[in-house]
Amino acid sequence: MNMLLVMLITTATLGAPPEAPSVVARLLDGSQVRGVLVAWNDEAIVLEGDSGEHSIKVGHLAQLVAGPETPAIAGMRVGLVDGSVLAVREYRASGRTVQLVMTDGSEVAVAARLVQAVQFATIPAELRQAWDESLAMDAASDWLVLPAEGALDHVEGVTGDVGPERLDFTLEGETISVARRKVLGVIYRHPDRALAPVLCRLRDRDGSRYEVAAVELRDRSERASATLGLTTAAGGRFSLPLSRVAGADFSSGRVVYLSELPREQVTYTPRIGLVGGRLPTDVVEPAIDGTPGGEPLRLGGTSHARGISLVSRTEVVYRLPDDAQQFRAVVGIDDTSRPAGTARLRIEVDGEVRFDEALTGVQPPGEVTLDVAGARRLTIVADFGDPLRDVGYVDLCEARITK
């Protein structure tokens, strides 16, 4: 190949700017919009797609999906008093300031009063509950958390400066220098402080979670290198490359999944055995976030993390939240029961039938949207289908109530 041509191709390849990341905005009404994020503030986001720009008010958003999260990086975690949890490479504290080295190598300074805890190493799975319980305890002083055999131990005192190798800890009036490698973590005790309302919970690709109260998209002229300016509910300020954002959840307080609601009544009736009779409610309970057989929920080849799965004939009654507005779900015969499974799904709102359809294992999943404003009860009935065919698991995936 001509050398000049090779140079031109190489130059064009190296000089091409990286593409701006595309995101998907999922709205509370179930619709979604895909495009490049060109604006984001506390009021709205703007996506640029093939058909132009779409402005979406934050109050209409359920989720923003920007990319996959990488597996959680083992190592240090810093928890803020507002619930934010940050994956970091290094943690140093001096006086009233904490210096964090983030996973991308950038350094961030935060006020020490914003830090609830730091874990210097990954908490073993068997000790995670003990760590979480320690965080929730109302103690009068800081805790130095130490590993013990199959448990956690702690020493109460006051934490001073923290360096890369050692930390100062004052115990009964005496300050000692402790090797950091011997300490699992530190839990700080601060006076309660007012927190700003949370706009969204933002996740980055390294597993950090930010409880965001304010956000601003910066450097919009250079989309591929744009950054987000974040302020957490406690007042921590961070700058995050847009390319590192995995997603944001805006649904807190506005969306309740059916799998989270208490069931007011469950009635199971077998096809044979008790003609006209009823079995106790604990015989066949609705499966939560999985099938009755213990498998993940799958409809039409798509896995779903949230939802309920029923066997025929099961009737479940839920009491709706007072401010419920809409019920939405993706329904169908679970993939484990395809293609032979059949059933009939009926959904009632305050006793009025709003949905009643036969389901088969050869049909694609369908979406159900029902107005439940002012209603008090939602009844879901998974009934028998074709008597000559197999009974299938009836899935209601992503079943949720929006407010």
Side-chain angles (χ1 to χ4, degrees), residues 364-403:
E367 294 192 5
V368 175
T369 302
L370 302 176
D371 182 4
V372 296
R376 303 188 65 179
R377 285 175 176 78
L378 181 75
T379 302
I380 298 174
V381 181
D383 211 340
F384 300 109
D386 188 338
L388 300 179
R389 301 180 65 183
D390 293 340
V391 174
Y393 294 148
V394 178
D395 289 353
L396 291 90
C397 297
E398 311 303 329
R400 62 201 182 276
I401 305 293
T402 56
K403 301 179 179 181

Side-chain angles (χ1 to χ4, degrees), residues 22-26 33-35 63-68 203 245-248 250:
S22 178
V23 303
V24 176
R26 294 175 179 166
V33 180
R34 180 184 295 274
Q63 289 181 320
L64 196 64
V65 181
R203 309 178 316 280
V245 175
F250 295 82

